[in-house]
Amino acid sequence: MAESLMDIKRRISSTKKTGQITRAMQMVSGAKLSRIEKKSIAYQLYANKVDEIIRHLTVGDVFSEIAAGGNSKDPMSLNNLLRVREVKKTAYVVITSDRGLVGGYNSNILKAMMDLFKEKYHNDKSKFTIVSLGNTGTEFFKTRGYDIAYEYRGLPDVPEVEDIKPIVKTILQLYQAGSFDEIYVCHNHHVNSLVSRFTNDKLLPLSKPKDTTPEEEHIASEYLTEPSAEVVLASLVPQYIECLTFGAIMDAKTAEHAASVTAMKSATDNADELISDLSLHYNRARQAQITTEITEIVGGAAALE
């Protein structure tokens, strides 16, 4: 019985240490989530305004004229970003985490990607390629033999715009070189602290808005652009691409931290529950041991009388 009690005490001690670790990780992830949520909300105001301006400027004929322009060697040139070409290969920018302990965050997006490949391409790997941002996704796709056009690991927990510029530049260089003909960004969209939703948004080529309203067309006609709409778009569109990519990474990181908070809270709660059960088991075992010892003492005393 004594040996059993020692085992229970060791389990209680070990579980308490694990609970302390998960509680600390929950607090760290909570702090990161708070920081990135504030930053994401502030950034979204800027992103929405850029999106609004792009929509207004691309309503007119200037969009079609630029998109039909000649091929340029500059991957950030306007006609390269707007020109629609025959789709022979599609690239999917898949954003996952670099580490574990994030609950079902990675498994959700990877399962969604597998379903997409099966439904759209019947798992024909020659028709698509992957741009993998995050260690988990990179290892997952490499293990299964998928073509990875570019991989990037070690995204900061709270990224800055400067952190994603090399990523965007490389993706656009591959696009301009003809490695793929269209690009989609796939990630978990942060809905709230408990819910995230898989999204698959088109990044390139940019297309003329099809759902413009008469009000937007009227606003577009009121724009005065100097020196020209093409020059303004040439400056704005590269920023817009960076905007979409940075916004997707920020959104994915927010969902990652929220998943980490939820996972660590669940682990901490489970540890507390296990400690409670083990403590009850220990107390019962200790009580049984004391009762046995008292019984033996009383029996021994009775035998001496």
Side-chain angles (χ1 to χ4, degrees):
M1 181 63 71
E3 191 174 50
S4 176
L5 288 174
M6 288 299 296
D7 289 341
I8 296 172
K9 286 185 72 174
R10 276 195 291 267
R11 288 184 63 191
I12 291 173
S13 176
S14 174
T15 306
K16 282 182 177 178
K17 291 176 182 177
T18 302
Q20 289 172 350
I21 293 171
T22 56
R23 187 172 285 106
M25 293 177 71
Q26 178 187 343
M27 293 174 65
V28 170
S29 294
K32 291 177 181 177
L33 176 61
S34 178
R35 283 175 57 200
I36 201 168
E37 276 186 328
K38 291 177 182 177
K39 187 174 181 179
S40 183
I41 291 171
Y43 181 78
Q44 199 59 46
L45 296 174
Y46 165 76
N48 289 342
K49 194 62 182 178
V50 173
D51 180 65
E52 179 185 324
I53 294 172
I54 290 290
R55 281 180 64 86
H56 290 162
L57 290 178
T58 54
V59 166
D61 294 333
V62 64
F63 184 95
S64 302
E65 293 172 3
I66 296 170
N71 188 23
S72 170
K73 293 182 179 180
D74 181 9
M76 295 291 272
S77 70
L78 198 55
N79 59 343
N80 277 333
L81 298 178
L82 299 185
R83 189 176 70 255
V84 178
R85 56 203 191 200
E86 181 185 356
V87 178
K88 298 177 181 177
K89 199 165 195 175
T90 302
Y92 291 93
V93 181
V94 184
I95 307 172
T96 57
S97 71
D98 285 301
R99 55 184 177 81
L101 302 176
V102 288
Y105 172 80
N106 289 311
S107 59
N108 289 343
I109 185 170
L110 294 175
K111 182 180 182 302
M113 294 307 301
M114 292 297 99
D115 292 342
L116 186 150
F117 295 152
K118 184 177 180 180
E119 179 182 345
K120 192 170 182 179
Y121 304 105
H122 302 288
N123 290 324
D124 184 353
K125 298 177 182 178
S126 65
K127 294 183 179 179
F128 62 90
T129 186
I130 296 167
V131 175
S132 181
L133 307 183
N135 181 66
T136 304
T138 301
E139 293 302 322
F140 177 86
F141 292 121
K142 276 187 173 181
T143 302
R144 287 155 180 79
Y146 285 94
D147 176 43
I148 299 180
Y150 173 65
E151 63 181 80
Y152 188 93
R153 310 177 195 227
L155 281 169
D157 288 324
V158 183
E160 302 289 342
V161 175
E162 293 299 321
D163 297 321
I164 63 99
K165 283 189 175 181
I167 299 172
V168 174
K169 183 178 179 181
T170 302
I171 292 173
L172 292 179
Q173 286 174 341
L174 290 170
Y175 178 73
Q176 193 270 341
S179 298
F180 34 78
D181 305 297
E182 62 179 359
I183 309 173
Y184 288 85
V185 180
C186 307
H187 68 285
N188 279 332
H189 166 61
H190 175 67
V191 179
N192 55 50
S193 297
L194 297 175
V195 179
S196 62
R197 184 175 61 248
F198 173 76
T199 60
N200 178 23
D201 300 321
K202 190 173 184 179
L203 180 64
L204 282 174
L206 298 180
S207 54
K208 186 174 180 179
K210 296 179 180 179
D211 56 345
T212 54
T213 63
E215 182 182 0
E216 284 181 317
E217 292 178 0
H218 173 70
I219 293 173
S221 67
E222 302 258 328
Y223 268 79
L224 299 176
T225 54
E226 290 292 342
S228 67
E230 182 175 354
V231 173
V232 174
L233 280 171
S235 176
L236 276 178
V237 169
Q239 292 182 46
Y240 181 59
I241 300 299
E242 287 183 355
C243 243
L244 292 176
T245 308
F246 182 63
I249 292 174
M250 287 273 285
D251 193 17
K253 280 293 180 182
T254 306
E256 178 187 334
H257 295 319
S260 181
V261 170
T262 302
M264 291 303 99
K265 183 180 184 305
S266 177
T268 303
D269 291 343
N270 289 338
D272 291 339
E273 185 178 347
L274 181 57
I275 290 169
S276 177
D277 292 341
L278 288 172
S279 297
L280 180 61
H281 184 43
Y282 175 83
N283 291 334
R284 284 176 176 173
R286 179 63 179 150
Q287 185 179 24
Q289 184 186 44
I290 293 171
T291 302
T292 302
E293 290 174 354
I294 292 174
T295 303
E296 291 174 352
I297 292 170
V298 171
L304 293 174
E305 291 179 357

